[in-house]
Amino acid sequence: MTTRRLESVRDEIGKCVRCAACQAGCPTYESAFSETMSARGRLRLAQAVLDGRIGLTKRVSGDFFECLACMSCSSSCPSNVDIMKIVMVTRAEAVASGADGRLLRFINRHLLPYHARLNILAKLVGVAALFYKLAPGFLTRHLPYTQGIAKRATPDFLGRSLRSRLYGAVNPDHAPPSTGRTKRVAYFSGCMTDLAFPGTGTSVVDTLNRAGAEVVFPNEQVCCGAPAWFGGDMETARELAESNVKTFDALDVDSIVISCATCGSVLSGVYPELLDNSAEAKRVADKIVDFQWLVVKLGVEKIYETIKNPGRKIRVTYHDPCHLKRGMGVYREPREILRNTPGVEFVEMENADRCCGGPGAFSLTHYDAAMEYGRLKAEAIVDSGAETVVTSCPSCQLQLDDALRKFGSDIPVAHIADMIAAAGERQTGSGGQIAVSEKE
Ligand code: SF4
Ligand code: SF4
């Protein structure tokens, strides 16, 4: 078996001094208490494959696919080992050798680059979810592989996509039209916001407009490639990166705003490496900013300046998406927004930055394990005394919502952009509630 891909990270693996600092806080290690479910153990497995002592079998690659990519190990590693790169390259090796991930690769290759196909799939999932609610046994009896998906809470995929709301009859090039604002930014929404949480996307645009930024939404944007990258399909990830870099590098904008933590960490942290550190990829990566970071930079007070009487305070807590805190270094900004939001009392939960267990396809392929991580997060939310939990990643939103309901809580979950928009609506008397899971 060839180990060409793994050879490229041999030196990186060699940087590990086996200190085990990465074990504390690793959700998979703490759950399984098994060495090969920690970063150190995974690195030793990769070394053993490289040395030919073991093969990259489905059993071995499974330990790499169970990594949540939460980056907790990366932030505690004293040797600065690029653990995520080693895990992803090992996954790619497993996919290329046929040991694992072939179905995901097939799905990635034939869906991710095509927005129209993703849109159709979203509608089919929406119809299936509706059907499942009406006849729960039918689907899983006749399509056994839907069992994992059927257990999971699904968002409303049946509404209009974000791009059809922002882009269309009013302005065929970009939306919304220029209104003489001082800063010009592009919005990269990501597929989940586009197809499952379009209301969050419009909240992002409205908030940035209120804070003084003109927002353009290039219709040519495609999936960031995270599912392919995390699924070990480097070729598809590279194709998607090339397409997005071409689209966004051509725009005359100050920044490129993201409201999905995973998209942001891939666009800023993975694209340059995927595209051989090309000047275009670096230019795009350097412009990536998180929505909350930009709101704070533009001035939180601007978006709330008309609110005089916010009414009863609601206790709100915040969940840090792994890829936002450890991937992009953004964690102070959401707290600053929450502390400045009229009508909100911010309360911190225990282990706010612990992975919720819901990254990407993991919660579909390993649903029961994902729910075990979700249970710990749900307990922390309930213990905080919060009436609402907000976050800044659609995948975390789904997972938190599912985990809270599964463990008997009715605490609503919202994207922080929806909370900001709801605070504004409460003032105008249009009935906005912070305690909503999605503003529509
Ligand atoms: S913390 Fe870093 S150096 Fe220490 S065992 Fe883990 S990967 Fe190796
Ligand atoms: S990324 Fe998270 S789950 Fe994976 S090895 Fe590191 S700490 Fe453990």
Side-chain angles (χ1 to χ4, degrees):
M1 177 199 136
T2 170
T3 51
R4 181 176 56 81
R5 291 168 183 80
L6 266 177
E7 281 296 345
S8 69
V9 288
R10 184 187 278 277
D11 291 347
E12 199 61 35
I13 296 171
K15 281 164 63 181
C16 173
V17 295
R18 303 187 179 177
C19 65
C22 50
Q23 289 181 348
C26 169
T28 56
Y29 176 75
E30 288 179 355
S31 160
F33 285 113
S34 157
E35 171 70 7
T36 60
M37 293 296 268
S38 71
R40 183 176 72 169
R42 289 176 173 119
L43 264 50
R44 292 179 77 175
L45 281 179
Q47 183 70 58
V49 173
L50 261 177
D51 295 346
R53 285 182 279 123
I54 58 172
L56 190 49
T57 59
K58 192 170 174 59
R59 162 74 190 80
V60 172
S61 66
D63 287 345
F64 289 84
F65 277 95
E66 284 195 40
C67 167
L68 297 167
C70 69
M71 302 172 78
S72 171
C73 48
S74 310
S75 59
S76 59
C77 175
S79 305
N80 279 328
V81 180
D82 193 341
I83 300 164
M84 288 302 88
K85 184 174 176 185
I86 296 166
V87 169
M88 297 315 150
V89 167
T90 311
R91 288 181 182 181
E93 197 76 86
V95 170
S97 70
D100 214 336
R102 274 180 299 180
L103 177 63
L104 272 182
R105 183 183 185 177
F106 177 85
I107 293 170
N108 287 338
R109 291 205 74 79
H110 295 283
L111 278 179
L112 298 187
Y114 310 101
H115 178 261
R117 292 184 194 175
L118 273 178
N119 204 5
I120 291 169
L121 177 73
K123 298 290 173 282
L124 288 174
V125 171
V127 171
L130 208 61
F131 188 64
Y132 179 74
K133 271 185 204 154
L134 297 173
F138 183 83
L139 271 186
T140 48
R141 196 163 51 244
H142 293 280
L143 301 171
Y145 56 85
T146 63
Q147 277 172 7
I149 298 174
K151 280 196 236 174
R152 208 192 194 308
T154 46
D156 176 14
F157 280 116
L158 293 175
R160 278 180 68 202
S161 69
L162 176 67
R163 70 177 67 198
S164 71
R165 294 178 190 207
L166 290 183
Y167 183 96
V170 180
N171 182 346
D173 296 321
H174 301 297
S178 171
T179 50
R181 293 182 172 98
T182 54
K183 198 168 177 61
R184 191 165 197 262
V185 301
Y187 179 31
F188 183 91
S189 71
C191 307
M192 283 289 283
T193 304
D194 185 16
L195 299 169
F197 296 104
T200 299
T202 53
S203 295
V204 167
V205 174
D206 289 347
T207 302
L208 291 175
N209 284 168
R210 270 192 281 150
E214 177 195 350
V215 185
V216 298
F217 185 87
N219 200 34
E220 301 79 10
Q221 61 185 281
V222 290
C223 168
C224 70
W229 167 252
F230 291 115
D233 180 359
M234 302 292 179
E235 288 74 23
T236 303
R238 195 170 296 122
E239 279 169 27
L240 292 165
E242 269 168 7
S243 175
N244 280 322
V245 163
K246 187 168 167 230
T247 296
F248 282 89
D249 192 41
L251 298 175
D252 177 21
V253 292
D254 305 307
S255 308
I256 301 162
V257 184
I258 58 91
S259 59
C260 167
T262 303
C263 295
S265 69
V266 169
L267 288 159
S268 60
V270 177
Y271 274 20
E273 187 188 313
L274 265 178
L275 300 179
D276 305 320
N277 284 311
S278 71
E280 296 82 2
K282 282 191 191 165
R283 268 199 303 271
V284 168
D286 287 347
K287 284 189 181 180
I288 302 296
V289 297
D290 172 62
F291 160 72
Q292 300 154 106
W293 180 90
L294 186 58
V295 165
V296 169
K297 195 167 168 59
L298 292 170
V300 188
E301 68 288 347
K302 280 192 203 158
I303 53 176
Y304 294 132
E305 62 191 5
T306 58
I307 299 183
K308 303 285 186 288
N309 178 24
R312 181 181 85 81
K313 282 205 169 189
I314 294 172
R315 278 194 309 282
V316 177
T317 195
Y318 179 77
H319 161 71
D320 288 290
C322 300
H323 294 144
L324 197 59
K325 181 172 182 188
R326 293 182 279 276
M328 295 181 75
V330 174
Y331 58 97
R332 294 187 194 91
E333 293 79 1
R335 290 165 172 82
E336 185 167 342
I337 291 171
L338 289 168
R339 290 195 174 101
N340 282 283
T341 300
V344 164
E345 177 195 349
F346 172 62
V347 289
E348 196 75 74
M349 73 168 100
E350 284 280 314
N351 298 320
D353 63 353
R354 189 185 167 89
C355 181
C356 63
F362 181 85
S363 62
L364 295 178
T365 53
H366 300 78
Y367 181 76
D368 293 332
M371 265 304 113
E372 196 42 39
Y373 304 125
R375 180 180 62 77
L376 298 173
K377 184 57 75 172
E379 285 169 2
I381 294 167
V382 172
D383 290 347
S384 74
E387 295 165 90
T388 289
V389 53
V390 296
T391 189
S392 1
C393 179
S395 290
C396 298
Q397 233 178 303
L398 266 184
Q399 168 76 352
L400 297 179
D401 196 45
D402 200 18
L404 282 163
R405 285 340 130 232
K406 287 269 173 348
F407 298 105
S409 168
D410 60 357
I411 294 175
V413 185
H415 192 285
I416 197 164
D418 290 325
M419 190 216 64
I420 294 170
E425 282 182 15
R426 287 198 307 161
Q427 173 57 20
T428 58
S430 55
Q433 288 291 316
I434 291 175
V436 291
S437 57
E438 195 208 355
K439 183 183 83 67
E440 279 293 311

